[in-house]
Amino acid sequence: MRRVPAAKTAASLAPKPEGETAMVERLERTGRYRVLRKLVPREVLAHLHPPADRTPGAWPRLGVVLDTETTGLDHAAHEVIELGMVAFTYDEMGVCDVVGVFSQLQQPTGPITSDITRITGITDEMVAGQRIDLEAVRRFVEPADLVIAHNARFDRPFCEKLCPGFEAKPWACSVSEVDWTALGFEGTKLGYLIGQCGYFHNGHRAVDDCHALLEVLSQPSRTQALPAFRQLLASTSAPRFRVHALGSPFHIKDILKARGYRWSDGSGRQPKCWWREIAEDAMDEEMHFLEAEIYAGGMNAHVERLTACERFKA
């Protein structure tokens, strides 16, 4: 009988190379590992961009996820240094296709601080001579049926200051208008959300955060709760109410703060008082609280009805 060479025998017994997918599945099956995959942005299908003259209310609709990087937290004093946007079509069931991407840097009037560079990765050298094309921004946003930001109360004032067109759009906030806990997530920061979806990404650059947020919003629900994007749609279509506690006594300010009221200094055509936004089904309870705890029977609150077009303004 002819003998098989030893080298050939050893090679035949050696484990065969595994592909990446097989290795990941093998690790995760042990229950001792969770593998994060690098997020690959969805392919842009420009030909699916809905026409500007489409029938109002018809599906699909156009959404824009956006993110800003800025020189600070105060929209009145600080500037946008990067704007990222991802346009996508959607229907009543969720996200459909990515149909456009926008990403531009802008040089501010002063130097970028070391803290901002540490947070964003953006340096003075990167933005030198750069300007955001405001006409391109306006064209990108004009056909949108909905603008989404992960903390819209921060991004909306900066965007409205930067360029016309944002002020008339319905806005949604993926931090405050999605019940992430009910969906099985352990936090609301984008890094936590994308990580729990099994991905990692280049965080804190504007357009990369947009792609990450769109992926998170596209995930099916892992619980009995409504999926994240459908929660946003439901919240956007429901009115909310801004309650202004006009003339509330100074000594009860801590009670208002504990209930979620915020102080308005009177800028932006808002009254100078404590205020908060609530859902329609919470109105009776809120009025009872104000009458019993704040005004002692002499109600002096002003209630303003807000649509998605008015929410999250400065």
Side-chain angles (χ1 to χ4, degrees):
M1 182 176 67
R2 192 165 63 91
R3 296 179 59 190
V4 178
K8 187 172 181 180
T9 303
S12 65
L13 296 175
K16 292 181 171 56
E18 288 184 280
E20 287 184 357
T21 300
M23 286 190 289
V24 168
E25 291 176 350
R26 185 179 177 188
L27 284 171
E28 291 182 334
R29 277 198 302 269
T30 68
R32 299 191 302 271
Y33 299 91
R34 293 179 63 189
V35 180
L36 298 183
R37 299 153 175 85
K38 184 176 182 179
L39 178 66
V40 178
R42 297 183 177 207
E43 181 184 359
V44 179
L45 302 175
H47 64 282
L48 293 178
H49 197 294
D53 60 350
R54 66 194 186 281
T55 304
W59 304 106
R61 298 181 188 173
L62 183 70
V64 171
V65 171
L66 65 75
D67 184 54
T68 59
E69 302 297 347
T70 67
T71 57
L73 301 178
D74 183 357
H75 73 278
H78 298 120
E79 303 170 71
V80 174
I81 54 177
E82 185 177 34
L83 174 63
M85 299 187 287
V86 174
F88 63 98
T89 56
Y90 67 92
D91 59 23
E92 67 272 28
M93 297 306 296
V95 173
C96 299
D97 300 292
V98 171
V99 295
V101 175
F102 180 97
S103 178
Q104 289 186 0
L105 293 163
Q106 177 156 284
Q107 182 178 3
T109 55
I112 298 173
T113 66
S114 58
D115 283 344
I116 295 300
T117 294
R118 176 179 54 81
I119 294 169
T120 67
I122 299 174
T123 65
D124 286 316
E125 292 72 23
M126 291 169 60
V127 299
Q130 300 285 334
R131 299 297 298 173
I132 293 174
D133 184 341
L134 300 184
E135 177 58 25
V137 173
R138 187 195 63 76
R139 291 196 307 269
F140 195 93
V141 174
E142 184 177 24
D145 296 289
L146 182 64
V147 177
I148 302 170
H150 201 62
N151 191 1
R153 197 167 296 284
F154 174 84
D155 290 291
R156 179 167 188 169
F158 274 103
C159 288
E160 290 190 359
K161 178 184 175 184
L162 175 70
C163 179
F166 288 104
E167 71 285 346
K169 293 297 176 183
W171 281 70
C173 177
S174 52
V175 172
S176 64
E177 296 185 285
V178 175
D179 189 344
W180 294 109
T181 301
L183 287 167
F185 291 87
E186 297 171 1
T188 61
K189 288 187 176 181
L190 185 55
Y192 295 159
L193 298 175
I194 196 68
Q196 286 190 261
C197 289
Y199 298 99
F200 69 92
H201 79 299
N202 179 27
H204 297 298
R205 291 304 304 274
V207 77
D208 296 314
D209 280 351
C210 292
H211 286 298
L213 178 56
L214 188 63
E215 192 62 40
V216 170
L217 292 174
S218 302
Q219 296 294 306
S221 178
R222 296 175 289 182
T223 68
Q224 297 300 309
L226 202 64
F229 188 77
R230 292 177 64 186
Q231 287 190 38
L232 276 186
L233 289 185
S235 180
T236 300
S237 62
R240 291 182 67 84
F241 295 85
R242 181 173 292 177
V243 179
H244 303 271
L246 299 173
S248 56
F250 178 79
H251 67 275
I252 51 82
K253 63 181 177 64
D254 289 336
I255 298 176
L256 289 167
K257 288 175 66 176
R259 194 168 175 87
Y261 279 77
R262 304 172 62 185
W263 176 252
S264 169
D265 60 6
S267 61
R269 294 179 293 181
Q270 293 297 320
K272 189 175 183 179
C273 65
W274 292 93
W275 64 274
R276 72 175 297 204
E277 290 182 12
I278 59 174
E280 187 172 18
D281 59 7
M283 277 293 295
D284 289 344
E285 180 185 348
E286 197 65 24
M287 292 301 103
H288 177 75
F289 159 77
L290 289 171
E291 187 172 2
E293 303 290 335
I294 306 302
Y295 294 115
M299 179 67 74
N300 191 28
H302 170 69
V303 179
E304 179 185 6
R305 188 179 189 275
L306 302 175
T307 68
C309 293
E310 292 125 11
R311 292 209 286 258
F312 311 115
K313 283 181 175 286

